[in-house]
Amino acid sequence: MLKSTILIVSPNWLGDAVMAMPAVKQFSIKNPGAVIVMLAKPSVAALWRMHDSVDEILELAGGNAATFAMARLLSAPKIGQAFILPNSFRSALIPFLALIPKRRGTAFHARSLMVNDPVSFKAEKAFGKLHQSLEYMKILCGEAQGDLSETGFHPPKPALMQELKMAQNDIPVCIIPGAARGESKRWPFFAEAAKLILTKNPAVRFIVTGAKGEADLCRKVADAIGDRAVSVAGRTGLSEFAALLGNCRLVICNDSGGMHLASAAGVPVVAVYGLTDPETTGPIGANATIIQAEGVSASRDVPRQSAIAVKALASIRAQRVASACLEKLTE
Protein backbone atom coordinates (compact mmCIF):
# COMPACT_ATOMS: atom_id res chain seq x y z
CA MET A 1 0.00 0.00 0.00
CA LEU A 2 1.35 3.42 -0.98
CA LYS A 3 1.66 5.49 2.17
CA SER A 4 0.65 9.15 2.30
CA THR A 5 2.31 11.62 4.62
CA ILE A 6 0.08 13.95 6.61
CA LEU A 7 0.96 16.71 9.05
CA ILE A 8 -0.87 17.27 12.33
CA VAL A 9 -0.21 20.52 14.19
CA SER A 10 -0.45 19.71 17.89
CA PRO A 11 -2.23 21.85 20.49
CA ASN A 12 0.23 23.78 22.62
CA TRP A 13 -1.09 23.11 26.12
CA LEU A 14 -0.56 19.76 27.85
CA GLY A 15 -4.26 19.18 28.60
CA ASP A 16 -5.31 20.18 25.09
CA ALA A 17 -2.74 17.83 23.56
CA VAL A 18 -4.03 14.95 25.69
CA MET A 19 -7.59 15.72 24.62
CA ALA A 20 -6.43 15.45 20.99
CA MET A 21 -5.02 11.94 21.48
CA PRO A 22 -8.24 9.96 20.85
CA ALA A 23 -8.75 11.79 17.55
CA VAL A 24 -5.19 11.02 16.43
CA LYS A 25 -5.69 7.37 17.37
CA GLN A 26 -9.02 7.22 15.53
CA PHE A 27 -7.48 8.87 12.46
CA SER A 28 -4.69 6.30 12.34
CA ILE A 29 -7.21 3.45 12.54
CA LYS A 30 -9.25 4.90 9.69
CA ASN A 31 -6.13 5.67 7.61
CA PRO A 32 -3.74 2.72 8.09
CA GLY A 33 -1.64 3.84 5.12
CA ALA A 34 -0.89 7.31 6.52
CA VAL A 35 2.47 8.39 7.89
CA ILE A 36 1.67 10.85 10.68
CA VAL A 37 4.11 13.71 11.27
CA MET A 38 3.35 15.69 14.43
CA LEU A 39 4.43 19.34 14.64
CA ALA A 40 4.63 20.25 18.31
CA LYS A 41 6.19 22.74 20.67
CA PRO A 42 8.95 21.31 22.91
CA SER A 43 6.61 21.50 25.92
CA VAL A 44 4.36 18.75 24.48
CA ALA A 45 6.68 16.96 22.03
CA ALA A 46 7.63 14.34 24.65
CA LEU A 47 3.94 13.57 25.09
CA TRP A 48 3.57 12.52 21.46
CA ARG A 49 6.58 10.21 21.77
CA MET A 50 4.36 8.14 24.08
CA HIS A 51 1.57 7.86 21.47
CA ASP A 52 1.44 4.70 19.39
CA SER A 53 0.16 6.30 16.17
CA VAL A 54 2.69 9.10 15.59
CA ASP A 55 5.53 8.23 13.20
CA GLU A 56 7.64 11.38 13.38
CA ILE A 57 7.78 14.44 15.62
CA LEU A 58 9.06 17.86 14.59
CA GLU A 59 9.72 20.29 17.44
CA LEU A 60 8.75 23.90 16.80
CA ALA A 61 10.83 26.50 18.62
CA GLY A 62 9.55 29.99 19.37
CA GLY A 63 10.10 33.09 17.26
CA ASN A 64 9.61 34.23 13.66
CA ALA A 65 12.86 32.68 12.45
CA ALA A 66 11.70 29.25 13.62
CA THR A 67 8.33 29.74 11.90
CA PHE A 68 9.89 30.37 8.48
CA ALA A 69 12.55 27.68 8.97
CA MET A 70 9.88 25.09 9.74
CA ALA A 71 7.84 26.15 6.71
CA ARG A 72 10.91 25.63 4.50
CA LEU A 73 11.54 22.23 6.06
CA LEU A 74 7.96 21.09 5.49
CA SER A 75 7.92 22.30 1.89
CA ALA A 76 10.55 19.71 0.89
CA PRO A 77 8.66 16.47 1.68
CA LYS A 78 5.49 15.65 -0.22
CA ILE A 79 2.94 16.26 2.52
CA GLY A 80 -0.51 16.12 1.00
CA GLN A 81 -2.58 17.41 3.88
CA ALA A 82 -2.25 19.30 7.16
CA PHE A 83 -4.65 19.10 10.09
CA ILE A 84 -4.35 22.22 12.25
CA LEU A 85 -5.69 21.52 15.74
CA PRO A 86 -4.91 24.83 17.55
CA ASN A 87 -6.81 28.02 16.71
CA SER A 88 -3.72 30.24 16.65
CA PHE A 89 -2.57 32.26 13.63
CA ARG A 90 0.94 30.79 13.67
CA SER A 91 -0.27 27.18 13.62
CA ALA A 92 -2.05 27.83 10.31
CA LEU A 93 0.67 30.06 8.86
CA ILE A 94 3.32 27.33 8.78
CA PRO A 95 1.39 24.81 6.59
CA PHE A 96 0.28 27.72 4.38
CA LEU A 97 3.87 28.92 3.82
CA ALA A 98 4.94 25.31 3.23
CA LEU A 99 2.43 25.13 0.35
CA ILE A 100 0.75 22.02 1.72
CA PRO A 101 -2.19 21.57 -0.71
CA LYS A 102 -4.98 20.80 1.75
CA ARG A 103 -5.10 22.58 5.12
CA ARG A 104 -7.95 21.64 7.47
CA GLY A 105 -8.85 23.46 10.68
CA THR A 106 -10.96 26.31 11.99
CA ALA A 107 -10.95 29.65 10.21
CA PHE A 108 -10.82 31.74 13.41
CA HIS A 109 -8.27 34.49 14.11
CA ALA A 110 -7.90 35.80 10.54
CA ARG A 111 -7.01 32.35 9.20
CA SER A 112 -9.61 32.11 6.42
CA LEU A 113 -7.01 32.60 3.66
CA MET A 114 -4.65 30.02 5.15
CA VAL A 115 -7.19 27.27 5.91
CA ASN A 116 -8.74 26.01 2.65
CA ASP A 117 -10.76 23.21 4.30
CA PRO A 118 -12.50 25.08 7.12
CA VAL A 119 -14.29 23.29 9.96
CA SER A 120 -17.25 24.70 11.88
CA PHE A 121 -18.87 23.40 15.05
CA LYS A 122 -22.03 25.50 14.84
CA ALA A 123 -24.31 22.56 14.06
CA GLU A 124 -23.04 20.47 16.98
CA LYS A 125 -23.07 23.30 19.50
CA ALA A 126 -26.61 24.26 18.51
CA PHE A 127 -27.71 21.06 20.24
CA GLY A 128 -25.61 21.48 23.38
CA LYS A 129 -22.06 21.73 24.63
CA LEU A 130 -19.34 19.97 22.67
CA HIS A 131 -16.37 18.45 24.44
CA GLN A 132 -13.03 19.71 23.16
CA SER A 133 -11.92 16.14 22.32
CA LEU A 134 -14.85 15.86 19.91
CA GLU A 135 -13.82 19.13 18.23
CA TYR A 136 -10.47 17.54 17.45
CA MET A 137 -12.31 14.40 16.32
CA LYS A 138 -14.26 16.42 13.75
CA ILE A 139 -11.13 18.14 12.43
CA LEU A 140 -9.27 14.85 12.00
CA CYS A 141 -12.02 12.34 11.28
CA GLY A 142 -14.87 14.41 9.87
CA GLU A 143 -17.42 13.77 12.63
CA ALA A 144 -17.71 15.07 16.19
CA GLN A 145 -18.04 11.58 17.60
CA GLY A 146 -15.81 8.63 18.35
CA ASP A 147 -14.24 6.49 21.06
CA LEU A 148 -12.56 8.82 23.56
CA SER A 149 -11.35 5.96 25.74
CA GLU A 150 -8.97 4.69 23.03
CA THR A 151 -6.19 7.25 23.42
CA GLY A 152 -3.11 5.46 22.04
CA PHE A 153 -1.19 6.82 25.04
CA HIS A 154 1.35 4.49 26.65
CA PRO A 155 3.51 6.01 29.41
CA PRO A 156 6.71 4.14 30.36
CA LYS A 157 7.51 2.56 33.70
CA PRO A 158 8.71 5.19 36.18
CA ALA A 159 12.23 5.05 37.60
CA LEU A 160 11.12 7.36 40.40
CA MET A 161 8.89 4.73 42.04
CA GLN A 162 11.96 2.68 42.98
CA GLU A 163 13.65 5.78 44.37
CA LEU A 164 10.66 6.51 46.61
CA LYS A 165 11.06 3.07 48.24
CA MET A 166 7.40 2.25 48.59
CA ALA A 167 6.58 -0.45 51.14
CA GLN A 168 4.83 -3.55 49.85
CA ASN A 169 1.48 -2.53 51.32
CA ASP A 170 1.70 1.17 50.41
CA ILE A 171 -1.05 2.50 48.17
CA PRO A 172 0.45 5.23 45.94
CA VAL A 173 -1.87 8.18 45.46
CA CYS A 174 -0.75 11.23 43.53
CA ILE A 175 -1.81 14.79 44.39
CA ILE A 176 -1.38 17.55 41.79
CA PRO A 177 -2.22 20.76 43.68
CA GLY A 178 -1.19 23.19 40.93
CA ALA A 179 -2.75 24.33 37.67
CA ALA A 180 -1.32 26.36 34.81
CA ARG A 181 -4.15 28.91 35.09
CA GLY A 182 -3.20 29.84 38.66
CA GLU A 183 -5.50 30.38 41.64
CA SER A 184 -8.64 30.37 39.51
CA LYS A 185 -8.17 26.61 39.16
CA ARG A 186 -6.30 25.73 42.37
CA TRP A 187 -8.33 24.12 45.15
CA PRO A 188 -6.78 25.05 48.54
CA PHE A 189 -7.65 22.00 50.67
CA PHE A 190 -5.64 19.06 49.30
CA ALA A 191 -3.75 18.52 52.57
CA GLU A 192 -6.95 18.51 54.60
CA ALA A 193 -8.54 15.94 52.27
CA ALA A 194 -5.41 13.77 52.40
CA LYS A 195 -5.43 13.70 56.20
CA LEU A 196 -9.09 12.66 56.19
CA ILE A 197 -8.26 9.84 53.75
CA LEU A 198 -5.47 8.62 56.07
CA THR A 199 -7.86 8.31 59.00
CA LYS A 200 -9.81 5.72 56.98
CA ASN A 201 -6.96 4.19 54.99
CA PRO A 202 -3.53 4.62 56.62
CA ALA A 203 -1.85 2.52 53.89
CA VAL A 204 -2.12 5.41 51.44
CA ARG A 205 1.13 7.17 50.61
CA PHE A 206 0.79 10.50 48.88
CA ILE A 207 3.13 11.64 46.13
CA VAL A 208 2.71 15.38 45.60
CA THR A 209 3.91 16.54 42.21
CA GLY A 210 3.86 19.41 39.76
CA ALA A 211 6.04 21.64 37.60
CA LYS A 212 9.30 23.16 38.78
CA GLY A 213 7.57 26.48 39.42
CA GLU A 214 5.11 24.72 41.73
CA ALA A 215 7.78 23.21 43.98
CA ASP A 216 7.00 25.50 46.94
CA LEU A 217 3.26 24.80 46.68
CA CYS A 218 3.84 21.03 46.52
CA ARG A 219 6.28 21.06 49.42
CA LYS A 220 3.79 22.96 51.60
CA VAL A 221 1.05 20.44 50.79
CA ALA A 222 3.34 17.47 51.52
CA ASP A 223 4.58 19.03 54.77
CA ALA A 224 1.01 19.69 55.91
CA ILE A 225 0.05 16.05 55.28
CA GLY A 226 3.00 14.71 57.26
CA ASP A 227 5.24 11.65 57.00
CA ARG A 228 2.86 9.81 54.65
CA ALA A 229 3.57 12.34 51.90
CA VAL A 230 6.55 13.31 49.78
CA SER A 231 6.94 16.06 47.18
CA VAL A 232 8.69 15.30 43.88
CA ALA A 233 7.73 18.56 42.15
CA GLY A 234 10.28 19.72 39.60
CA ARG A 235 12.10 16.38 39.62
CA THR A 236 10.30 14.85 36.66
CA GLY A 237 10.32 15.62 32.97
CA LEU A 238 7.11 15.08 31.02
CA SER A 239 7.78 11.39 30.31
CA GLU A 240 8.60 10.60 33.93
CA PHE A 241 5.63 12.67 35.11
CA ALA A 242 3.33 10.64 32.88
CA ALA A 243 4.94 7.41 34.03
CA LEU A 244 4.49 8.38 37.68
CA LEU A 245 0.80 9.17 37.21
CA GLY A 246 0.24 6.01 35.21
CA ASN A 247 1.48 3.85 38.07
CA CYS A 248 -0.59 5.35 40.89
CA ARG A 249 -3.81 3.90 42.24
CA LEU A 250 -5.52 7.30 42.22
CA VAL A 251 -4.80 10.89 41.18
CA ILE A 252 -6.36 13.84 43.04
CA CYS A 253 -6.07 17.11 41.16
CA ASN A 254 -7.49 20.34 39.83
CA ASP A 255 -8.66 20.89 36.27
CA SER A 256 -5.15 20.69 34.81
CA GLY A 257 -2.90 19.06 32.25
CA GLY A 258 -1.92 16.45 34.82
CA MET A 259 -5.57 15.53 35.23
CA HIS A 260 -5.90 14.86 31.50
CA LEU A 261 -2.62 12.93 31.45
CA ALA A 262 -3.65 10.62 34.29
CA SER A 263 -7.11 10.05 32.86
CA ALA A 264 -5.71 9.23 29.41
CA ALA A 265 -3.43 6.64 31.05
CA GLY A 266 -6.50 4.93 32.51
CA VAL A 267 -5.85 5.92 36.13
CA PRO A 268 -8.84 6.71 38.41
CA VAL A 269 -9.08 10.47 38.90
CA VAL A 270 -10.87 12.75 41.35
CA ALA A 271 -10.78 16.26 39.88
CA VAL A 272 -11.90 19.44 41.64
CA TYR A 273 -13.63 22.03 39.44
CA GLY A 274 -14.61 25.56 40.38
CA LEU A 275 -15.98 27.60 37.48
CA THR A 276 -14.50 25.60 34.60
CA ASP A 277 -16.92 23.43 32.69
CA PRO A 278 -16.27 19.65 32.73
CA GLU A 279 -18.78 19.15 29.92
CA THR A 280 -16.37 20.82 27.50
CA THR A 281 -12.92 20.21 29.03
CA GLY A 282 -13.46 17.34 31.48
CA PRO A 283 -11.17 14.28 31.66
CA ILE A 284 -11.62 11.83 28.79
CA GLY A 285 -11.06 8.62 30.76
CA ALA A 286 -13.95 6.46 31.91
CA ASN A 287 -12.89 6.33 35.56
CA ALA A 288 -13.03 9.99 36.58
CA THR A 289 -15.09 11.68 39.28
CA ILE A 290 -15.71 15.42 39.05
CA ILE A 291 -16.27 17.42 42.24
CA GLN A 292 -17.66 20.80 41.24
CA ALA A 293 -18.66 23.85 43.22
CA GLU A 294 -22.42 24.06 43.65
CA GLY A 295 -24.59 26.81 42.26
CA VAL A 296 -22.03 28.16 39.79
CA SER A 297 -22.35 29.11 36.16
CA ALA A 298 -19.63 26.99 34.55
CA SER A 299 -17.60 28.32 31.63
CA ARG A 300 -14.98 26.93 29.27
CA ASP A 301 -12.76 29.98 29.72
CA VAL A 302 -11.95 31.25 33.22
CA PRO A 303 -9.61 34.25 33.81
CA ARG A 304 -6.30 33.63 35.56
CA GLN A 305 -7.33 36.13 38.21
CA SER A 306 -10.93 35.64 39.27
CA ALA A 307 -12.20 36.26 42.79
CA ILE A 308 -15.41 34.44 41.89
CA ALA A 309 -13.49 31.35 40.77
CA VAL A 310 -11.36 31.36 43.94
CA LYS A 311 -14.50 31.64 46.08
CA ALA A 312 -16.16 28.80 44.19
CA LEU A 313 -13.19 26.50 44.80
CA ALA A 314 -13.02 27.47 48.48
CA SER A 315 -16.69 26.44 48.87
CA ILE A 316 -15.80 22.78 48.17
CA ARG A 317 -15.12 21.11 51.50
CA ALA A 318 -12.32 18.63 52.10
CA GLN A 319 -14.72 15.94 53.35
CA ARG A 320 -16.54 15.88 50.02
CA VAL A 321 -13.33 15.24 48.08
CA ALA A 322 -12.00 12.74 50.64
CA SER A 323 -15.22 10.71 50.45
CA ALA A 324 -14.98 10.50 46.65
CA CYS A 325 -11.34 9.40 46.92
CA LEU A 326 -12.10 6.69 49.47
CA GLU A 327 -14.85 5.39 47.23
CA LYS A 328 -12.41 5.18 44.31
CA LEU A 329 -9.85 3.36 46.43
CA THR A 330 -12.49 0.87 47.54
CA GLU A 331 -13.39 0.18 43.92
Side-chain angles (χ1 to χ4, degrees):
M1 180 185 294
L2 183 64
K3 292 194 172 185
S4 60
T5 301
I6 68 103
L7 177 74
I8 299 177
V9 184
S10 169
N12 299 324
W13 291 95
L14 176 60
D16 292 352
V18 174
M19 285 189 282
M21 284 185 165
V24 174
K25 178 65 178 180
Q26 190 74 15
F27 178 88
S28 71
I29 292 172
K30 289 186 173 183
N31 301 273
V35 175
I36 297 177
V37 178
M38 185 68 65
L39 179 61
K41 286 190 174 181
S43 57
V44 295
L47 188 69
W48 292 110
R49 293 189 178 95
M50 294 179 272
H51 196 280
D52 62 18
S53 302
V54 176
D55 299 290
E56 183 181 352
I57 297 166
L58 298 175
E59 292 195 26
L60 177 63
N64 291 334
T67 297
F68 291 106
M70 184 58 68
R72 287 193 297 272
L73 177 66
L74 291 172
S75 65
K78 292 186 177 179
I79 297 176
Q81 185 169 11
F83 294 88
I84 307 158
L85 301 185
N87 291 324
S88 68
F89 183 86
R90 187 193 190 201
S91 62
L93 178 63
I94 293 172
F96 173 74
L97 293 176
L99 302 178
I100 295 174
K102 191 174 182 181
R103 303 176 298 276
R104 181 172 171 83
T106 63
F108 305 139
H109 304 295
R111 306 192 326 170
S112 57
L113 293 178
M114 296 181 289
V115 175
N116 58 12
D117 184 14
V119 178
S120 171
F121 307 110
K122 287 183 180 179
E124 290 84 2
K125 291 184 178 180
F127 295 98
K129 297 176 181 178
L130 184 65
H131 195 279
Q132 193 168 331
S133 290
L134 296 179
E135 293 180 7
Y136 296 138
M137 196 74 77
K138 185 171 182 180
I139 293 173
L140 276 167
C141 302
E143 293 183 297
Q145 58 185 4
D147 183 5
L148 299 184
S149 65
E150 186 65 43
T151 63
F153 176 60
H154 303 286
K157 293 290 183 182
L160 191 60
M161 277 296 195
Q162 295 180 350
E163 185 183 329
L164 293 176
K165 297 179 180 179
M166 290 278 180
Q168 185 176 356
N169 295 326
D170 281 349
I171 300 172
V173 172
C174 190
I175 294 177
I176 311 173
R181 298 292 293 179
E183 289 188 354
S184 293
K185 288 191 177 184
R186 288 181 183 174
W187 186 57
F189 303 128
F190 283 101
E192 289 82 350
K195 287 187 281 189
L196 288 171
I197 292 168
L198 286 171
T199 63
K200 299 291 185 181
N201 194 337
V204 171
R205 187 168 179 200
F206 293 100
I207 305 167
V208 188
T209 188
K212 186 176 181 180
E214 297 166 338
D216 286 344
L217 170 66
C218 292
R219 178 183 49 77
K220 288 176 182 177
V221 170
D223 289 348
I225 296 170
D227 59 5
R228 294 299 295 173
V230 59
S231 172
V232 297
R235 292 172 55 190
T236 59
L238 184 54
S239 296
E240 184 72 3
F241 180 48
L244 178 67
L245 297 178
N247 284 271
C248 283
R249 282 276 299 277
L250 174 69
V251 173
I252 316 169
C253 52
N254 300 301
D255 171 21
S256 64
M259 172 197 73
H260 289 291
L261 206 58
S263 187
V267 180
V269 167
V270 172
V272 185
Y273 273 63
L275 293 187
T276 46
D277 189 356
E279 289 190 35
T280 56
T281 60
I284 57 179
N287 201 1
T289 295
I290 302 296
I291 306 294
Q292 182 147 36
E294 298 175 351
V296 300
S297 179
S299 171
R300 179 163 170 167
D301 299 308
V302 177
R304 288 180 181 272
Q305 301 296 326
S306 169
I308 298 174
V310 171
K311 183 178 179 181
L313 285 166
S315 72
I316 302 171
R317 309 320 302 167
Q319 181 62 59
R320 187 177 165 198
V321 174
S323 296
C325 293
L326 288 165
E327 185 176 337
K328 285 287 185 193
L329 291 172
T330 302
E331 292 171 2

